[in-house]
Amino acid sequence: MGLIEIARRNSVWRGMDYYNGKKVISLEKTGTETYSGIVSGSNGNKYMVKIDKAHPRKSSCNCPFADGRRVICKHMIALYFTAEPKVALDFLKEVESWEEEEEAREQQHYEELEEYVKSLSKTELQEQLLEALIQLEERQNYYW
């Protein structure tokens, strides 16, 4: 698993924001699979970041979220995307593709739902509607 797969979703998206906002101040390739650099934080602090693509859990950052922990933070993701912009582009393309597929699945679901509703008789439709309204009311009463 790579840095993106291990990171929390929020860290990836905030890292993308930092990448787009050019928050990476310095970047150095330190090995075949490693980089180090300085990333500016939202509070103006500068964080020392090291990433290891081969062993992501060996990556480090001295920000409050990641310091002393084996987690992937937004600063690491920003450095990674800056070091390898194609990875950032591929990530965005993958998200876009997933969203398009999800939209198609949702559209298909609604079409199937419409087909089902149209197949019901008037009596069946009234019974289904009454049952749905009762369930909705029970849920509202449960949360109040």
PDB file of all heavy atoms in Angstrom, residues 94-120:
ATOM      1  N   GLU A  94      -8.670   9.167 -11.174  1.00  0.00           N
ATOM      2  CA  GLU A  94      -9.298   8.007 -10.539  1.00  0.00           C
ATOM      3  C   GLU A  94     -10.548   8.423  -9.768  1.00  0.00           C
ATOM      4  O   GLU A  94     -11.587   7.758  -9.843  1.00  0.00           O
ATOM      5  CB  GLU A  94      -8.299   7.334  -9.599  1.00  0.00           C
ATOM      6  CG  GLU A  94      -8.770   6.025  -9.037  1.00  0.00           C
ATOM      7  CD  GLU A  94      -7.713   5.359  -8.169  1.00  0.00           C
ATOM      8  OE1 GLU A  94      -6.523   5.426  -8.512  1.00  0.00           O
ATOM      9  OE2 GLU A  94      -8.105   4.776  -7.139  1.00  0.00           O
ATOM     10  N   VAL A  95     -10.468   9.525  -9.048  1.00  0.00           N
ATOM     11  CA  VAL A  95     -11.627  10.027  -8.298  1.00  0.00           C
ATOM     12  C   VAL A  95     -12.744  10.412  -9.264  1.00  0.00           C
ATOM     13  O   VAL A  95     -13.911  10.078  -9.045  1.00  0.00           O
ATOM     14  CB  VAL A  95     -11.233  11.235  -7.410  1.00  0.00           C
ATOM     15  CG1 VAL A  95     -12.464  11.933  -6.850  1.00  0.00           C
ATOM     16  CG2 VAL A  95     -10.326  10.779  -6.283  1.00  0.00           C
ATOM     17  N   GLU A  96     -12.390  11.091 -10.341  1.00  0.00           N
ATOM     18  CA  GLU A  96     -13.375  11.501 -11.339  1.00  0.00           C
ATOM     19  C   GLU A  96     -14.057  10.287 -11.958  1.00  0.00           C
ATOM     20  O   GLU A  96     -15.284  10.262 -12.127  1.00  0.00           O
ATOM     21  CB  GLU A  96     -12.691  12.330 -12.424  1.00  0.00           C
ATOM     22  CG  GLU A  96     -13.644  12.942 -13.416  1.00  0.00           C
ATOM     23  CD  GLU A  96     -12.909  13.826 -14.421  1.00  0.00           C
ATOM     24  OE1 GLU A  96     -12.404  14.883 -14.008  1.00  0.00           O
ATOM     25  OE2 GLU A  96     -12.853  13.434 -15.600  1.00  0.00           O
ATOM     26  N   SER A  97     -13.278   9.264 -12.261  1.00  0.00           N
ATOM     27  CA  SER A  97     -13.831   8.041 -12.838  1.00  0.00           C
ATOM     28  C   SER A  97     -14.785   7.367 -11.847  1.00  0.00           C
ATOM     29  O   SER A  97     -15.873   6.929 -12.220  1.00  0.00           O
ATOM     30  CB  SER A  97     -12.692   7.087 -13.211  1.00  0.00           C
ATOM     31  OG  SER A  97     -13.193   5.851 -13.630  1.00  0.00           O
ATOM     32  N   TRP A  98     -14.384   7.298 -10.578  1.00  0.00           N
ATOM     33  CA  TRP A  98     -15.234   6.689  -9.555  1.00  0.00           C
ATOM     34  C   TRP A  98     -16.538   7.472  -9.425  1.00  0.00           C
ATOM     35  O   TRP A  98     -17.612   6.869  -9.317  1.00  0.00           O
ATOM     36  CB  TRP A  98     -14.505   6.657  -8.215  1.00  0.00           C
ATOM     37  CG  TRP A  98     -15.323   6.019  -7.146  1.00  0.00           C
ATOM     38  CD1 TRP A  98     -15.412   4.696  -6.856  1.00  0.00           C
ATOM     39  CD2 TRP A  98     -16.221   6.686  -6.248  1.00  0.00           C
ATOM     40  NE1 TRP A  98     -16.299   4.500  -5.820  1.00  0.00           N
ATOM     41  CE2 TRP A  98     -16.804   5.695  -5.427  1.00  0.00           C
ATOM     42  CE3 TRP A  98     -16.577   8.010  -6.046  1.00  0.00           C
ATOM     43  CZ2 TRP A  98     -17.725   5.998  -4.424  1.00  0.00           C
ATOM     44  CZ3 TRP A  98     -17.504   8.306  -5.052  1.00  0.00           C
ATOM     45  CH2 TRP A  98     -18.053   7.309  -4.258  1.00  0.00           C
ATOM     46  N   GLU A  99     -16.450   8.805  -9.446  1.00  0.00           N
ATOM     47  CA  GLU A  99     -17.653   9.634  -9.323  1.00  0.00           C
ATOM     48  C   GLU A  99     -18.591   9.418 -10.508  1.00  0.00           C
ATOM     49  O   GLU A  99     -19.806   9.377 -10.340  1.00  0.00           O
ATOM     50  CB  GLU A  99     -17.274  11.107  -9.195  1.00  0.00           C
ATOM     51  CG  GLU A  99     -16.701  11.453  -7.842  1.00  0.00           C
ATOM     52  CD  GLU A  99     -16.195  12.883  -7.730  1.00  0.00           C
ATOM     53  OE1 GLU A  99     -16.008  13.550  -8.777  1.00  0.00           O
ATOM     54  OE2 GLU A  99     -15.978  13.332  -6.591  1.00  0.00           O
ATOM     55  N   GLU A 100     -18.034   9.291 -11.712  1.00  0.00           N
ATOM     56  CA  GLU A 100     -18.857   9.033 -12.896  1.00  0.00           C
ATOM     57  C   GLU A 100     -19.545   7.675 -12.786  1.00  0.00           C
ATOM     58  O   GLU A 100     -20.727   7.545 -13.107  1.00  0.00           O
ATOM     59  CB  GLU A 100     -18.000   9.086 -14.166  1.00  0.00           C
ATOM     60  CG  GLU A 100     -17.578  10.483 -14.555  1.00  0.00           C
ATOM     61  CD  GLU A 100     -16.567  10.518 -15.686  1.00  0.00           C
ATOM     62  OE1 GLU A 100     -16.174   9.434 -16.200  1.00  0.00           O
ATOM     63  OE2 GLU A 100     -16.155  11.629 -16.073  1.00  0.00           O
ATOM     64  N   GLU A 101     -18.806   6.667 -12.325  1.00  0.00           N
ATOM     65  CA  GLU A 101     -19.394   5.338 -12.141  1.00  0.00           C
ATOM     66  C   GLU A 101     -20.483   5.369 -11.081  1.00  0.00           C
ATOM     67  O   GLU A 101     -21.534   4.750 -11.242  1.00  0.00           O
ATOM     68  CB  GLU A 101     -18.309   4.330 -11.745  1.00  0.00           C
ATOM     69  CG  GLU A 101     -17.341   4.005 -12.861  1.00  0.00           C
ATOM     70  CD  GLU A 101     -16.138   3.208 -12.380  1.00  0.00           C
ATOM     71  OE1 GLU A 101     -16.116   2.805 -11.200  1.00  0.00           O
ATOM     72  OE2 GLU A 101     -15.220   3.015 -13.187  1.00  0.00           O
ATOM     73  N   GLU A 102     -20.239   6.095 -10.005  1.00  0.00           N
ATOM     74  CA  GLU A 102     -21.226   6.212  -8.927  1.00  0.00           C
ATOM     75  C   GLU A 102     -22.487   6.904  -9.428  1.00  0.00           C
ATOM     76  O   GLU A 102     -23.600   6.500  -9.108  1.00  0.00           O
ATOM     77  CB  GLU A 102     -20.622   6.970  -7.745  1.00  0.00           C
ATOM     78  CG  GLU A 102     -21.525   7.069  -6.542  1.00  0.00           C
ATOM     79  CD  GLU A 102     -21.851   5.724  -5.912  1.00  0.00           C
ATOM     80  OE1 GLU A 102     -21.103   4.753  -6.115  1.00  0.00           O
ATOM     81  OE2 GLU A 102     -22.890   5.651  -5.220  1.00  0.00           O
ATOM     82  N   GLU A 103     -22.309   7.944 -10.231  1.00  0.00           N
ATOM     83  CA  GLU A 103     -23.448   8.657 -10.806  1.00  0.00           C
ATOM     84  C   GLU A 103     -24.260   7.729 -11.714  1.00  0.00           C
ATOM     85  O   GLU A 103     -25.498   7.746 -11.687  1.00  0.00           O
ATOM     86  CB  GLU A 103     -22.953   9.871 -11.594  1.00  0.00           C
ATOM     87  CG  GLU A 103     -24.051  10.812 -12.028  1.00  0.00           C
ATOM     88  CD  GLU A 103     -23.505  12.055 -12.702  1.00  0.00           C
ATOM     89  OE1 GLU A 103     -22.590  12.688 -12.140  1.00  0.00           O
ATOM     90  OE2 GLU A 103     -24.005  12.396 -13.795  1.00  0.00           O
ATOM     91  N   ALA A 104     -23.571   6.905 -12.490  1.00  0.00           N
ATOM     92  CA  ALA A 104     -24.254   5.960 -13.377  1.00  0.00           C
ATOM     93  C   ALA A 104     -25.024   4.915 -12.556  1.00  0.00           C
ATOM     94  O   ALA A 104     -26.160   4.567 -12.890  1.00  0.00           O
ATOM     95  CB  ALA A 104     -23.255   5.278 -14.305  1.00  0.00           C
ATOM     96  N   ARG A 105     -24.398   4.420 -11.463  1.00  0.00           N
ATOM     97  CA  ARG A 105     -25.090   3.452 -10.594  1.00  0.00           C
ATOM     98  C   ARG A 105     -26.325   4.075  -9.968  1.00  0.00           C
ATOM     99  O   ARG A 105     -27.378   3.448  -9.879  1.00  0.00           O
ATOM    100  CB  ARG A 105     -24.141   2.943  -9.507  1.00  0.00           C
ATOM    101  CG  ARG A 105     -23.173   1.884  -9.960  1.00  0.00           C
ATOM    102  CD  ARG A 105     -22.429   1.265  -8.791  1.00  0.00           C
ATOM    103  NE  ARG A 105     -21.524   2.188  -8.131  1.00  0.00           N
ATOM    104  CZ  ARG A 105     -20.264   2.408  -8.493  1.00  0.00           C
ATOM    105  NH1 ARG A 105     -19.758   1.774  -9.518  1.00  0.00           N
ATOM    106  NH2 ARG A 105     -19.510   3.254  -7.826  1.00  0.00           N
ATOM    107  N   GLU A 106     -26.205   5.312  -9.537  1.00  0.00           N
ATOM    108  CA  GLU A 106     -27.332   6.014  -8.925  1.00  0.00           C
ATOM    109  C   GLU A 106     -28.460   6.207  -9.939  1.00  0.00           C
ATOM    110  O   GLU A 106     -29.637   5.985  -9.628  1.00  0.00           O
ATOM    111  CB  GLU A 106     -26.864   7.373  -8.391  1.00  0.00           C
ATOM    112  CG  GLU A 106     -27.913   8.111  -7.607  1.00  0.00           C
ATOM    113  CD  GLU A 106     -27.367   9.404  -7.023  1.00  0.00           C
ATOM    114  OE1 GLU A 106     -26.417   9.333  -6.234  1.00  0.00           O
ATOM    115  OE2 GLU A 106     -27.901  10.473  -7.377  1.00  0.00           O
ATOM    116  N   GLN A 107     -28.104   6.600 -11.146  1.00  0.00           N
ATOM    117  CA  GLN A 107     -29.090   6.790 -12.206  1.00  0.00           C
ATOM    118  C   GLN A 107     -29.814   5.481 -12.500  1.00  0.00           C
ATOM    119  O   GLN A 107     -31.034   5.446 -12.633  1.00  0.00           O
ATOM    120  CB  GLN A 107     -28.418   7.329 -13.483  1.00  0.00           C
ATOM    121  CG  GLN A 107     -29.380   7.593 -14.621  1.00  0.00           C
ATOM    122  CD  GLN A 107     -30.382   8.692 -14.310  1.00  0.00           C
ATOM    123  OE1 GLN A 107     -30.079   9.645 -13.607  1.00  0.00           O
ATOM    124  NE2 GLN A 107     -31.580   8.565 -14.827  1.00  0.00           N
ATOM    125  N   GLN A 108     -29.053   4.391 -12.575  1.00  0.00           N
ATOM    126  CA  GLN A 108     -29.649   3.079 -12.837  1.00  0.00           C
ATOM    127  C   GLN A 108     -30.592   2.691 -11.699  1.00  0.00           C
ATOM    128  O   GLN A 108     -31.683   2.164 -11.940  1.00  0.00           O
ATOM    129  CB  GLN A 108     -28.569   2.012 -13.001  1.00  0.00           C
ATOM    130  CG  GLN A 108     -29.143   0.642 -13.310  1.00  0.00           C
ATOM    131  CD  GLN A 108     -28.053  -0.414 -13.497  1.00  0.00           C
ATOM    132  OE1 GLN A 108     -26.872  -0.111 -13.488  1.00  0.00           O
ATOM    133  NE2 GLN A 108     -28.464  -1.644 -13.655  1.00  0.00           N
ATOM    134  N   HIS A 109     -30.187   2.974 -10.463  1.00  0.00           N
ATOM    135  CA  HIS A 109     -31.031   2.666  -9.312  1.00  0.00           C
ATOM    136  C   HIS A 109     -32.370   3.399  -9.412  1.00  0.00           C
ATOM    137  O   HIS A 109     -33.431   2.802  -9.195  1.00  0.00           O
ATOM    138  CB  HIS A 109     -30.310   3.041  -8.019  1.00  0.00           C
ATOM    139  CG  HIS A 109     -31.189   2.996  -6.808  1.00  0.00           C
ATOM    140  ND1 HIS A 109     -31.619   1.816  -6.244  1.00  0.00           N
ATOM    141  CD2 HIS A 109     -31.732   3.994  -6.060  1.00  0.00           C
ATOM    142  CE1 HIS A 109     -32.391   2.085  -5.199  1.00  0.00           C
ATOM    143  NE2 HIS A 109     -32.468   3.395  -5.067  1.00  0.00           N
ATOM    144  N   TYR A 110     -32.332   4.691  -9.743  1.00  0.00           N
ATOM    145  CA  TYR A 110     -33.566   5.465  -9.844  1.00  0.00           C
ATOM    146  C   TYR A 110     -34.447   4.989 -10.996  1.00  0.00           C
ATOM    147  O   TYR A 110     -35.678   4.983 -10.887  1.00  0.00           O
ATOM    148  CB  TYR A 110     -33.275   6.964  -9.957  1.00  0.00           C
ATOM    149  CG  TYR A 110     -32.798   7.556  -8.650  1.00  0.00           C
ATOM    150  CD1 TYR A 110     -31.663   8.346  -8.599  1.00  0.00           C
ATOM    151  CD2 TYR A 110     -33.485   7.319  -7.459  1.00  0.00           C
ATOM    152  CE1 TYR A 110     -31.222   8.884  -7.390  1.00  0.00           C
ATOM    153  CE2 TYR A 110     -33.049   7.851  -6.262  1.00  0.00           C
ATOM    154  CZ  TYR A 110     -31.920   8.634  -6.229  1.00  0.00           C
ATOM    155  OH  TYR A 110     -31.496   9.160  -5.042  1.00  0.00           O
ATOM    156  N   GLU A 111     -33.819   4.572 -12.090  1.00  0.00           N
ATOM    157  CA  GLU A 111     -34.596   4.039 -13.206  1.00  0.00           C
ATOM    158  C   GLU A 111     -35.281   2.730 -12.810  1.00  0.00           C
ATOM    159  O   GLU A 111     -36.454   2.516 -13.147  1.00  0.00           O
ATOM    160  CB  GLU A 111     -33.687   3.823 -14.422  1.00  0.00           C
ATOM    161  CG  GLU A 111     -33.267   5.124 -15.089  1.00  0.00           C
ATOM    162  CD  GLU A 111     -32.184   4.938 -16.141  1.00  0.00           C
ATOM    163  OE1 GLU A 111     -31.785   3.781 -16.429  1.00  0.00           O
ATOM    164  OE2 GLU A 111     -31.717   5.973 -16.671  1.00  0.00           O
ATOM    165  N   GLU A 112     -34.577   1.877 -12.079  1.00  0.00           N
ATOM    166  CA  GLU A 112     -35.167   0.620 -11.605  1.00  0.00           C
ATOM    167  C   GLU A 112     -36.280   0.899 -10.604  1.00  0.00           C
ATOM    168  O   GLU A 112     -37.310   0.215 -10.608  1.00  0.00           O
ATOM    169  CB  GLU A 112     -34.091  -0.269 -10.991  1.00  0.00           C
ATOM    170  CG  GLU A 112     -33.123  -0.831 -12.013  1.00  0.00           C
ATOM    171  CD  GLU A 112     -31.915  -1.510 -11.390  1.00  0.00           C
ATOM    172  OE1 GLU A 112     -31.770  -1.497 -10.137  1.00  0.00           O
ATOM    173  OE2 GLU A 112     -31.095  -2.043 -12.168  1.00  0.00           O
ATOM    174  N   LEU A 113     -36.076   1.870  -9.747  1.00  0.00           N
ATOM    175  CA  LEU A 113     -37.090   2.246  -8.768  1.00  0.00           C
ATOM    176  C   LEU A 113     -38.341   2.754  -9.474  1.00  0.00           C
ATOM    177  O   LEU A 113     -39.467   2.366  -9.121  1.00  0.00           O
ATOM    178  CB  LEU A 113     -36.527   3.319  -7.829  1.00  0.00           C
ATOM    179  CG  LEU A 113     -37.343   3.683  -6.612  1.00  0.00           C
ATOM    180  CD1 LEU A 113     -37.572   2.482  -5.710  1.00  0.00           C
ATOM    181  CD2 LEU A 113     -36.637   4.793  -5.836  1.00  0.00           C
ATOM    182  N   GLU A 114     -38.160   3.598 -10.476  1.00  0.00           N
ATOM    183  CA  GLU A 114     -39.293   4.118 -11.235  1.00  0.00           C
ATOM    184  C   GLU A 114     -40.041   2.983 -11.937  1.00  0.00           C
ATOM    185  O   GLU A 114     -41.280   2.933 -11.914  1.00  0.00           O
ATOM    186  CB  GLU A 114     -38.808   5.139 -12.279  1.00  0.00           C
ATOM    187  CG  GLU A 114     -39.932   5.745 -13.094  1.00  0.00           C
ATOM    188  CD  GLU A 114     -39.450   6.750 -14.133  1.00  0.00           C
ATOM    189  OE1 GLU A 114     -38.228   6.831 -14.380  1.00  0.00           O
ATOM    190  OE2 GLU A 114     -40.311   7.447 -14.698  1.00  0.00           O
ATOM    191  N   GLU A 115     -39.294   2.060 -12.507  1.00  0.00           N
ATOM    192  CA  GLU A 115     -39.913   0.918 -13.192  1.00  0.00           C
ATOM    193  C   GLU A 115     -40.730   0.082 -12.202  1.00  0.00           C
ATOM    194  O   GLU A 115     -41.846  -0.343 -12.490  1.00  0.00           O
ATOM    195  CB  GLU A 115     -38.821   0.053 -13.839  1.00  0.00           C
ATOM    196  CG  GLU A 115     -39.352  -1.081 -14.692  1.00  0.00           C
ATOM    197  CD  GLU A 115     -38.220  -1.862 -15.346  1.00  0.00           C
ATOM    198  OE1 GLU A 115     -37.221  -1.250 -15.751  1.00  0.00           O
ATOM    199  OE2 GLU A 115     -38.349  -3.099 -15.430  1.00  0.00           O
ATOM    200  N   TYR A 116     -40.183  -0.121 -11.003  1.00  0.00           N
ATOM    201  CA  TYR A 116     -40.882  -0.891  -9.977  1.00  0.00           C
ATOM    202  C   TYR A 116     -42.178  -0.191  -9.578  1.00  0.00           C
ATOM    203  O   TYR A 116     -43.238  -0.814  -9.510  1.00  0.00           O
ATOM    204  CB  TYR A 116     -39.981  -1.093  -8.761  1.00  0.00           C
ATOM    205  CG  TYR A 116     -40.706  -1.634  -7.563  1.00  0.00           C
ATOM    206  CD1 TYR A 116     -41.165  -2.952  -7.533  1.00  0.00           C
ATOM    207  CD2 TYR A 116     -40.958  -0.825  -6.457  1.00  0.00           C
ATOM    208  CE1 TYR A 116     -41.851  -3.446  -6.434  1.00  0.00           C
ATOM    209  CE2 TYR A 116     -41.637  -1.305  -5.352  1.00  0.00           C
ATOM    210  CZ  TYR A 116     -42.089  -2.614  -5.346  1.00  0.00           C
ATOM    211  OH  TYR A 116     -42.775  -3.107  -4.263  1.00  0.00           O
ATOM    212  N   VAL A 117     -42.097   1.120  -9.318  1.00  0.00           N
ATOM    213  CA  VAL A 117     -43.282   1.875  -8.896  1.00  0.00           C
ATOM    214  C   VAL A 117     -44.356   1.822  -9.978  1.00  0.00           C
ATOM    215  O   VAL A 117     -45.538   1.634  -9.689  1.00  0.00           O
ATOM    216  CB  VAL A 117     -42.910   3.333  -8.539  1.00  0.00           C
ATOM    217  CG1 VAL A 117     -44.155   4.193  -8.363  1.00  0.00           C
ATOM    218  CG2 VAL A 117     -42.069   3.367  -7.265  1.00  0.00           C
ATOM    219  N   LYS A 118     -43.958   1.961 -11.229  1.00  0.00           N
ATOM    220  CA  LYS A 118     -44.923   1.932 -12.325  1.00  0.00           C
ATOM    221  C   LYS A 118     -45.555   0.545 -12.500  1.00  0.00           C
ATOM    222  O   LYS A 118     -46.649   0.433 -13.054  1.00  0.00           O
ATOM    223  CB  LYS A 118     -44.257   2.369 -13.625  1.00  0.00           C
ATOM    224  CG  LYS A 118     -43.997   3.862 -13.677  1.00  0.00           C
ATOM    225  CD  LYS A 118     -43.354   4.273 -14.982  1.00  0.00           C
ATOM    226  CE  LYS A 118     -43.172   5.781 -15.029  1.00  0.00           C
ATOM    227  NZ  LYS A 118     -42.547   6.205 -16.296  1.00  0.00           N
ATOM    228  N   SER A 119     -44.879  -0.485 -12.006  1.00  0.00           N
ATOM    229  CA  SER A 119     -45.422  -1.841 -12.144  1.00  0.00           C
ATOM    230  C   SER A 119     -46.475  -2.165 -11.080  1.00  0.00           C
ATOM    231  O   SER A 119     -47.186  -3.157 -11.185  1.00  0.00           O
ATOM    232  CB  SER A 119     -44.290  -2.875 -12.059  1.00  0.00           C
ATOM    233  OG  SER A 119     -43.841  -3.019 -10.720  1.00  0.00           O
ATOM    234  N   LEU A 120     -46.581  -1.330 -10.046  1.00  0.00           N
ATOM    235  CA  LEU A 120     -47.521  -1.581  -8.965  1.00  0.00           C
ATOM    236  C   LEU A 120     -48.938  -1.165  -9.359  1.00  0.00           C
ATOM    237  O   LEU A 120     -49.134  -0.187 -10.082  1.00  0.00           O
ATOM    238  CB  LEU A 120     -47.109  -0.805  -7.710  1.00  0.00           C
ATOM    239  CG  LEU A 120     -45.770  -1.181  -7.067  1.00  0.00           C
ATOM    240  CD1 LEU A 120     -45.438  -0.201  -5.948  1.00  0.00           C
ATOM    241  CD2 LEU A 120     -45.797  -2.602  -6.549  1.00  0.00           C
TER     242      LEU A 120
END
